[in-house]
Amino acid sequence: MPVHTNEDLPSPFGDPGSIFSDSELRETAYEVLMCACRGSGPKPKVKKALGLKSESESELEPESSNTSEEDGNSSGRRAVTTGELMRVQLRISEQIDSRIRRALLRIGAGQIGRRVDLVVLPLELIQQFNSSDFPTQQEYEAWVRRNLKVLESGLLLYPNLPLDKADTSAQHLRRIIRGALENPMSIGKSPESMQTLQTVVLSLACRSSDGSVLDSCHWADGFPLNLWIYQTLLETCFDIHKNTAVIEEVDEVLQLTKKTWAILGINETLHNNCFSWVLFHRYVTTGEVENDLLFASSNLLEQVDKDTNATKHPFYSKTLSSALSLMLSWAEQRLLTYHDTFHKDNIESLGNLVSVAALSAKILAKDISHEHNQKMKQTDVAYTRVENYIRSSLRVAFSQELEKVNPSKHVSGRQNRAFASLSVLARQISELAHLEKTVFSPKLKRWHPLAAGVAVATLHVSYGNVLKQYIKGITELTPNAIQVLMASIKLEKDLVQIAVEDSVDSEDGGKFIIKEMQPYEAETVILNLVKSWIKIRVDRLGEWADANLEKEVWSAEANEECFAPSAVEVLRIINETLEAFFLLPIPMHIVLLHELISGLDKSLQEYILKAKSGIGNRNTFIPAMPALTRCSTKSKFHGVFRVKEKSLVTQRRKAHVGTTNRDNSFNIPQLCAQINTMQRICIELGALEKRIVADISSSRSATDHDIENEVSLKFKLSPVAAAESTHQLCESIAYKLIFHDLSHVLLDGLYVGEVSSTRIDHFLQELEQYLEILSSTVHERVRTRVIVKVMQASFDGFLFVLLAGGPSRAFSLQDSTIIEEDFKSLTDLFWSKGDGLPADLIEKHSMTARAVLPLFHTDTEHIIQQLSQLTMETYGPSAKPRLPLPPTADQWSPREPYTLLKVLCYRNDEAAAKFLKKKYKLPKKLKIIK
């Protein structure tokens, strides 16, 4: 197993190596032990209390090791007493043991009843032996030098009570020891020199701070000599053949070791402190494999923590601080990066190491010079330290994961690869977070109730800092950008979920941790990117539509269905845009779909509105009403009328100059192409809306709520615009055809001059040709609407000729029969013997004309009477002397004064002319030639 050298972890008690070798310390420790062991007491079970395993309980594989000659147990027999066991553990030979026991017997015989703490053991040993008691002179000299170094260390170098610089005894002893170290044989030359040595040693060992002579000797209780010796004794708790195992007799060994406390100045607190260090040091130097050693060290520190407030000795404070600082420093080196050291197989060690670090930090944080300490602050020490370990280790772990994918190498010109790396990093961080939750946090929760929450918050911030860098470089919606953003969304959900679960039982419900986790707002970034994506495509659609509408000729021959090629392209672009949207690797955001459809809808609406601009409407093609006039009759030859006919037509046209605002930019086939285009748009939009619903339903991220409540996703503006355009186009086709394209046979020809010779036949012939064009060109779904509008315009045109036909027309009562026959021929054209429009539809739209036509065979007096009566009803008796002119009517009607007035204006008889002159002062129009 790996073993760390002592240099890896320096001793908190200083390095004795410059004064004593290991063997010298072991022999001195054994001498102190043997001197102290003059009785026995109760034997507490330390092993069980500390949670230590003995050699027989250890699960480690036994290590083969040969017993050295130093251990003195070459026979391999088991030690039968604790003292014998400790001799073996300290590697003291039987020869040395025998000599020490012999010396102690001599000392005891000469000082019967003398307390152990009154014996300066090194001095006594020097007095008891000479060179003849040793196998060789060199061994004797080494023995003398060791005991002199013990005296020098205990009385001069590290005395329990500081030396007075003016103390001559110290100076005297220093000279004696210096000389003896150079010539060990001179130490026992004469009884006088030995007496001098004894006098000087005892004067220093038994002095007090007030100058009085003590009844006890202090020669080995100065720091750090006492701890060097005591640590050496505590090391005997470990098996010399298995350096990670504690011997079975650890209770007996510790009980025997405690007998040295009086000589070494050790108490329970110092023992716990020193033993905790010894266990910790053994754990470290043996490769950190035996967790029980760390566990026992932690248990001892808990006792040290309890004893700290009761212990005020500065020597203890210095010792404690030194040991705890080293333990804390070593532990924190690993805890600040605990992911590098610990895993699920050694996770128990993490808990014990945190316990050691937390207790060390807590004890060090106490001001032991004051009696009162705030318990909450002490508790917060461990809490704060553990939080620091979590944050530090996870930052390091994050940096290591970041280094693996290392997106920084791909920034220059390789943004897409950087995005891919960040996606991988997000998955790795999620795995790290779940590892933290399941393996590390349960152990750390003892000191920090929100251990997992702190961990994921740290990871959240770390990844967020990297993510923000790369979000700045995203300028458009690309698959790689979406991949990173989606990965970050999933990571954030995982981290937040862990934080929420970890904080269920906390007072604030984890609000503090969640507040630390500032949202990545990746969904907002995606939202903005998609909005930008939508805007770009909607703008392109609008630009394309504008450019191509300018080139559109609206040719009915462009394709079989007679609609505009520009509409085909517009619809294709819309369809491809929707398909591309559903292929975006993002969650289906209904808001975004609404925005996309709204943008496309608006662009399509603009296309429709621009496409129909200039087509005109009903009022565009109906001429303005001519001025009110009256007819006057005068008999002429028929030949004269024929000579004057051209002049009469010219006058009629002049009468209508400026009364209409006709737009001849589109012919009937072009208008048919336009109306077919609007119909095509409506049909395609319906299909698109069904496809959208299907795409939503098949979307992995779609919810039942989306499917149930978003099936109404529809284009709203463009269908309305298309419907309005269709209506306007139907009207424009009808009134352009009747009042513009057929004006030469209707307005310029029908009933001009002689009624019987200018009947409706010519108009019907040309109208029928146009109806055939419409029937073969206009889409079947709109065909009936167009023809109905043409029929309605025909009826309006027929009434316009009768009631506002200008100065070239005048009707007698006899003409009414011709008029009614012509109107029937007009209606029959649309009925077409049952192959045309339904009779009820014809009846509905001809109601106005059928109501007005009877006025043309009603005698003039009756019409005058009706007009007068209706005017009186409206204006009262004040209108009797002179009837006011009725306002222009919106619709012709036999019960409407303006209609009656117009009939009288075109009535070719004297009574009508007189009435109009008398009541309204109307001027004469063209004289009618009979």
Side-chain angles (χ1 to χ4, degrees):
M1 68 181 68
V3 178
H4 294 266
T5 61
N6 289 337
E7 286 75 13
D8 293 337
L9 191 63
S11 172
F13 315 132
D15 182 13
S18 61
I19 303 175
F20 301 104
S21 66
D22 289 345
S23 61
E24 287 177 329
L25 270 178
R26 289 198 302 272
E27 191 169 344
T28 300
Y30 188 67
E31 290 171 348
V32 172
L33 178 67
M34 296 304 292
C35 178
C37 290
R38 295 184 177 182
S40 61
K43 301 177 180 179
K45 295 300 177 179
V46 178
K47 178 171 62 178
K48 183 176 181 181
L50 296 181
L52 289 168
K53 284 182 185 174
S54 62
E55 178 185 354
S56 62
E57 297 171 313
S58 177
E59 295 179 358
L60 296 175
E61 292 293 329
E63 299 178 359
S64 59
S65 175
N66 295 324
T67 305
S68 67
E69 292 182 359
E70 282 190 308
D71 66 11
N73 194 21
S74 57
S75 63
R77 61 184 175 82
R78 186 76 179 174
V80 294
T81 66
T82 306
E84 176 70 5
L85 173 63
M86 295 192 71
R87 179 189 70 77
V88 174
Q89 291 289 93
L90 288 169
R91 300 175 185 175
I92 304 299
S93 67
E94 291 181 351
Q95 183 181 16
I96 295 174
D97 175 62
S98 177
R99 185 168 59 241
I100 293 172
R101 290 177 182 275
R102 191 164 63 248
L104 290 175
L105 286 174
R106 293 174 185 176
I107 294 169
Q111 301 177 351
I112 298 175
R114 190 177 181 188
R115 300 197 314 270
V116 172
D117 57 357
L118 294 176
V119 175
V120 182
L121 184 59
L123 175 64
E124 298 291 343
L125 290 175
I126 291 174
Q127 292 176 335
Q128 294 299 326
F129 294 108
N130 53 44
S131 60
S132 62
D133 294 309
F134 291 84
T136 66
Q137 181 177 337
Q138 289 79 8
E139 189 173 339
Y140 169 70
E141 291 179 355
W143 178 81
V144 170
R145 287 191 182 95
R146 177 178 61 79
N147 281 285
L148 288 173
K149 287 192 290 185
V150 173
L151 286 174
E152 181 183 31
S153 298
L155 298 176
L156 299 177
L157 299 179
Y158 310 111
N160 177 275
L161 189 66
L163 290 171
D164 188 347
K165 293 182 179 180
D167 193 331
T168 58
S169 297
Q171 298 174 5
H172 193 183
L173 179 60
R174 192 173 287 111
R175 287 195 298 272
I176 294 173
I177 291 175
R178 188 179 301 114
L181 289 174
E182 294 176 357
N183 185 13
M185 299 298 294
S186 64
I187 194 68
K189 273 189 175 182
S190 64
E192 292 80 8
S193 62
M194 187 63 73
Q195 183 62 44
T196 299
L197 176 63
Q198 181 176 357
T199 300
V200 174
V201 167
L202 291 176
S203 68
L204 291 171
C206 298
R207 63 193 173 86
S208 65
S209 59
D210 58 3
S212 62
V213 179
L214 300 176
D215 60 353
S216 60
C217 296
H218 298 272
W219 61 273
D221 54 354
F223 176 81
L225 175 64
N226 58 345
L227 294 181
W228 292 346
I229 297 171
Y230 194 65
Q231 181 178 351
T232 303
L233 291 171
L234 290 176
E235 295 286 349
T236 61
C237 293
F238 302 104
D239 193 292
I240 59 173
H241 303 304
K242 299 176 183 178
N243 53 12
T244 61
V246 175
I247 59 175
E248 292 184 23
E249 300 86 352
V250 62
D251 288 321
E252 292 82 354
V253 168
L254 287 174
Q255 183 62 23
L256 203 61
T257 301
K258 288 182 179 181
K259 293 182 178 296
T260 65
W261 286 7
I263 297 175
L264 299 177
I266 305 295
N267 57 21
E268 185 74 31
T269 304
L270 276 174
H271 164 78
N272 289 335
N273 184 14
C274 189
F275 196 24
S276 175
W277 164 259
V278 168
L279 291 166
F280 181 81
H281 183 265
R282 180 56 63 102
Y283 168 77
V284 172
T285 56
T286 55
E288 308 163 37
V289 295
E290 185 50 66
N291 184 47
D292 283 349
L293 299 177
L294 197 59
F295 179 62
S297 176
S298 171
N299 287 338
L300 280 169
L301 283 181
E302 289 184 0
Q303 188 58 47
V304 170
D305 182 34
K306 295 176 184 177
D307 297 340
T308 302
N309 291 334
T311 305
K312 304 177 181 64
H313 197 287
F315 165 68
Y316 168 74
S317 298
K318 182 178 180 180
T319 304
L320 177 64
S321 177
S322 179
L324 293 178
S325 296
L326 282 169
M327 294 169 74
L328 178 60
S329 176
W330 187 93
E332 288 198 331
Q333 287 180 8
R334 281 133 184 91
L335 292 175
L336 289 171
T337 57
Y338 61 77
H339 287 87
D340 293 340
T341 305
F342 299 97
H343 43 80
K344 63 180 180 180
D345 294 332
N346 68 348
I347 192 62
E348 292 299 325
S349 298
L350 172 64
N352 292 329
L353 189 61
V354 172
S355 180
V356 168
L359 286 166
S360 298
K362 179 181 176 183
I363 297 169
L364 286 170
K366 291 182 179 180
D367 183 1
I368 59 175
S369 64
H370 294 80
E371 295 182 1
H372 302 289
N373 296 286
Q374 295 183 18
K375 185 176 181 181
M376 181 57 68
K377 289 185 177 179
Q378 296 170 12
T379 303
D380 286 346
V381 170
Y383 178 94
T384 303
R385 290 272 175 170
V386 171
E387 180 164 323
N388 186 42
Y389 302 153
I390 295 171
R391 294 191 184 278
S392 172
S393 188
L394 283 163
R395 288 191 188 107
V396 172
F398 177 84
S399 297
Q400 292 169 348
E401 295 297 334
L402 181 60
E403 182 64 24
K404 291 177 184 178
V405 300
N406 203 3
S408 60
K409 291 182 179 180
H410 310 309
V411 173
S412 179
R414 295 187 176 181
Q415 191 78 6
N416 288 340
R417 291 183 61 189
F419 287 146
S421 298
L422 285 179
S423 300
V424 174
L425 179 63
R427 292 193 295 271
Q428 292 172 339
I429 297 308
S430 181
E431 292 175 1
L432 179 61
H434 283 93
L435 176 68
E436 186 74 20
K437 173 189 174 183
T438 56
V439 176
F440 297 107
S441 296
K443 294 297 178 185
L444 300 173
K445 207 171 183 68
R446 171 184 169 189
W447 297 274
H448 199 301
L450 299 178
V454 169
V456 296
T458 303
L459 290 174
H460 185 275
V461 172
S462 298
Y463 185 84
N465 291 334
V466 177
L467 180 65
K468 287 176 183 177
Q469 276 186 306
Y470 291 95
I471 284 178
K472 293 177 182 178
I474 301 176
T475 57
E476 62 178 335
L477 193 65
T478 63
N480 285 324
I482 291 296
Q483 183 182 4
V484 169
L485 294 170
M486 292 302 300
S488 66
I489 291 173
K490 183 181 184 304
L491 172 62
E492 185 166 46
K493 289 180 179 178
D494 291 346
L495 298 181
V496 170
Q497 180 64 28
I498 292 174
V500 170
E501 291 175 355
D502 188 55
S503 56
V504 170
D505 298 327
S506 64
E507 293 181 0
D508 68 345
K511 292 180 180 178
F512 178 77
I513 293 294
I514 299 299
K515 187 177 180 180
E516 180 182 339
M517 302 169 72
Q518 293 298 317
Y520 294 156
E521 296 184 346
E523 289 184 340
T524 301
V525 175
I526 291 177
L527 185 68
N528 291 334
L529 286 174
V530 175
K531 285 185 175 182
S532 176
W533 183 91
I534 290 172
K535 185 178 184 302
I536 289 172
R537 279 149 183 80
V538 169
D539 290 347
R540 287 176 184 172
L541 174 62
E543 293 169 2
W544 188 96
D546 287 345
N548 283 270
L549 266 177
E550 294 178 1
K551 304 173 186 177
E552 186 61 70
V553 295
W554 303 102
S555 172
E557 291 79 24
N559 45 56
E560 291 183 1
E561 297 181 34
C562 304
F563 57 84
S566 60
V568 176
E569 285 301 305
V570 168
L571 292 169
R572 182 188 62 79
I573 293 172
I574 292 175
N575 186 55
E576 290 179 353
T577 302
L578 284 168
E579 287 181 354
F581 176 81
F582 280 101
L583 290 175
L584 292 176
I586 61 173
M588 178 47 59
H589 297 302
I590 296 300
V591 174
L592 294 174
L593 184 55
H594 270 298
E595 186 163 338
L596 174 60
I597 292 176
S598 177
L600 296 175
D601 190 22
K602 188 173 182 181
S603 291
L604 186 55
Q605 179 199 31
E606 292 175 357
Y607 169 86
I608 293 169
L609 295 177
K610 290 176 181 178
K612 75 165 187 176
S613 63
I615 63 174
N617 53 32
R618 179 179 183 274
N619 295 329
T620 303
F621 300 102
I622 295 179
M625 291 288 183
L628 290 172
T629 59
R630 55 188 173 86
C631 287
S632 62
T633 60
K634 187 176 182 181
S635 298
K636 295 287 183 181
F637 295 108
H638 291 288
V640 174
F641 176 78
R642 292 189 182 94
V643 173
K644 302 259 186 191
E645 184 175 356
K646 182 176 180 181
S647 176
L648 292 173
V649 173
T650 302
Q651 290 183 42
R652 190 206 65 77
R653 288 182 176 173
K654 287 181 179 179
H656 289 288
V657 171
T659 63
T660 182
N661 182 26
R662 299 170 184 170
D663 189 338
N664 300 320
S665 59
F666 295 106
N667 57 36
I668 296 300
Q670 287 178 316
L671 292 174
C672 290
Q674 285 187 315
I675 204 169
N676 287 342
T677 299
M678 300 304 148
Q679 185 60 30
R680 175 77 176 199
I681 289 173
C682 291
I683 293 172
E684 288 295 324
L685 288 181
L688 277 176
E689 288 167 354
K690 290 180 181 179
R691 198 174 310 138
I692 289 170
V693 173
D695 287 338
I696 293 174
S697 302
S698 62
S699 175
R700 293 181 180 178
S701 59
T703 64
D704 292 338
H705 177 269
D706 294 334
I707 297 170
E708 292 174 3
N709 297 287
E710 298 303 331
V711 293
S712 60
L713 276 170
K714 293 182 180 297
F715 289 78
K716 298 177 181 178
L717 301 176
S718 49
V720 172
E724 290 176 351
S725 295
T726 300
H727 174 79
Q728 186 178 345
L729 282 163
C730 289
E731 190 175 78
S732 183
I733 289 173
Y735 284 87
K736 176 179 174 57
L737 174 61
I738 300 303
F739 286 92
H740 183 272
D741 294 9
L742 294 179
S743 64
H744 64 286
V745 289
L746 180 66
L747 300 183
D748 294 344
L750 184 62
Y751 304 144
V752 172
E754 189 67 39
V755 173
S756 60
S757 61
T758 54
R759 296 184 66 172
I760 203 168
D761 298 339
H762 192 190
F763 170 73
L764 294 179
Q765 291 172 4
E766 294 200 24
L767 176 58
E768 186 174 13
Q769 293 175 7
Y770 275 103
L771 290 176
E772 290 177 359
I773 294 173
L774 293 175
S775 297
S776 61
T777 305
V778 176
H779 193 282
E780 60 182 4
R781 293 189 182 183
V782 197
R783 190 177 300 148
T784 298
R785 292 170 59 187
V786 174
I787 294 176
V788 167
K789 278 294 180 184
V790 172
M791 178 179 69
Q792 184 178 346
S794 300
F795 295 161
D796 287 348
F798 187 77
L799 287 178
F800 189 89
V801 167
L802 296 178
L803 299 173
S808 61
R809 293 180 174 89
F811 305 102
S812 64
L813 290 176
Q814 293 77 17
D815 294 332
S816 63
T817 303
I818 295 174
I819 293 171
E820 289 179 354
E821 289 176 357
D822 285 353
F823 185 73
K824 184 178 185 305
S825 297
L826 179 59
T827 57
D828 287 345
L829 174 65
F830 290 99
W831 183 63
S832 188
K833 298 180 180 180
D835 293 333
L837 297 177
D840 58 344
L841 194 59
I842 296 173
E843 181 68 24
K844 174 184 175 182
H845 288 279
S846 63
M847 286 178 63
T848 299
R850 293 182 186 280
V852 172
L853 289 182
L855 293 176
F856 286 87
H857 61 72
T858 303
D859 62 77
T860 302
E861 293 300 328
H862 184 74
I863 294 175
I864 291 173
Q865 183 181 357
Q866 281 187 310
L867 175 60
S868 300
Q869 181 179 348
L870 290 173
T871 303
M872 295 293 290
E873 289 175 0
T874 303
Y875 295 99
S878 61
K880 192 173 183 180
R882 182 178 178 182
L883 295 176
L885 283 171
T888 303
D890 294 332
Q891 187 174 1
W892 306 119
S893 170
R895 293 292 300 167
E896 199 278 318
Y898 189 74
T899 303
L900 296 174
L901 179 61
K902 294 295 284 184
V903 170
L904 291 174
C905 287
Y906 289 94
R907 177 61 58 88
N908 188 12
D909 69 20
E910 198 65 35
K914 289 180 180 180
F915 173 78
L916 294 175
K917 179 180 179 182
K918 179 180 179 181
K919 295 296 183 180
Y920 300 106
K921 304 298 184 182
L922 294 183
K924 290 188 291 183
K925 62 181 176 180
L926 181 68
K927 294 180 180 180
I928 301 302
I929 306 300
K930 292 292 185 179

